[in-house]
Amino acid sequence: MDARWTKKRGETEYGYKDHVVVCQKNKFVRDYEVTAANVHDSKVAVRLLKRTTKVGELAWEDAGYVGTEDELRANGIVPIVCEKGYRGHPLTEKQKENNRKKSSTRSRVEHVFGFMEQTMHGLIFRGVGIVRAKANIAMTNLVYNMCRLGQVVRLHKDWITTN
């Protein structure tokens, strides 16, 4: 009932979208929001980052978030956004190199979705209504964090502090 259509890379998608803020160091989902699929990520990003990001903290974003930088800076968040090429104005080699450096950190978010899709088989929701979708996505994010905690305890015990 609340789901919407959108096109992504030439493919039609229908449903809901999980917008997340992921910790750069340990890849835990820090916060999330669920919307219809037609809502662009940049519309939700500032609201999510304001809730979870401390003043002076870095926010790594891909080229889809161009235009959010001023609002993030106004809230004390330091945006690091990949540059975007336009028709007739392709990226220079320097810009491409800068984007590669930024993407090496920013891509950690994609690992989260890759794990959810490949290991958890959790990116498909077959239900009616945004309330059920929100509950399903909340559980998916929670289970992902629990799986990630198991990995951190097993592989990176030094990341866990007892403060």
Side-chain angles (χ1 to χ4, degrees):
M1 296 173 356
D2 307 303
R4 295 292 179 263
W5 294 97
T6 191
K7 276 204 167 229
K8 184 175 182 180
R9 294 184 196 97
E11 287 192 30
T12 304
E13 303 280 343
Y14 179 74
Y16 304 95
K17 193 183 288 187
D18 183 11
H19 307 269
V20 297
V21 175
V22 175
C23 178
Q24 175 186 342
K25 180 180 177 183
N26 55 34
K27 292 195 269 190
F28 285 116
V29 174
R30 291 169 63 177
D31 197 5
Y32 72 97
E33 196 164 313
V34 179
T35 64
N38 65 337
V39 176
H40 193 272
D41 294 337
S42 64
K43 303 292 182 202
V44 181
V46 174
R47 185 170 55 241
L48 269 173
L49 288 167
K50 284 194 315 191
R51 287 198 311 237
T52 60
T53 309
K54 298 175 188 141
V55 173
E57 199 171 350
L58 304 177
W60 298 83
E61 302 176 315
D62 68 14
Y65 296 92
V66 170
T68 62
E69 299 100 319
D70 292 338
E71 194 171 352
L72 289 174
R73 281 190 200 100
N75 287 285
I77 301 167
V78 181
I80 300 177
V81 182
C82 290
E83 297 182 64
K84 192 174 186 176
Y86 297 95
R87 186 182 305 158
H89 299 284
L91 293 174
T92 65
E93 287 305 313
K94 178 80 170 152
Q95 289 172 316
K96 289 179 184 178
E97 181 61 31
N98 286 339
N99 278 355
R100 274 190 286 279
K101 289 176 185 171
K102 293 172 188 176
S103 292
S104 66
T105 299
R106 198 211 56 75
S107 68
R108 294 177 65 81
V109 174
E110 302 306 328
H111 297 166
V112 173
F113 290 113
F115 184 87
M116 286 179 183
E117 186 174 331
Q118 297 297 316
T119 306
M120 295 173 57
H121 307 289
L123 294 183
I124 295 179
F125 165 70
R126 287 180 172 70
V128 177
I130 197 162
V131 173
R132 288 182 180 146
K134 285 181 178 181
N136 181 280
I137 290 171
M139 290 296 114
T140 301
N141 289 337
L142 176 64
V143 170
Y144 164 79
N145 275 349
M146 291 165 54
C147 291
R148 183 66 187 147
L149 179 61
Q151 291 174 337
V152 168
V153 167
R154 202 171 56 253
L155 304 171
H156 303 286
K157 289 185 184 188
D158 56 310
W159 289 0
I160 301 171
T161 61
T162 56
N163 293 344

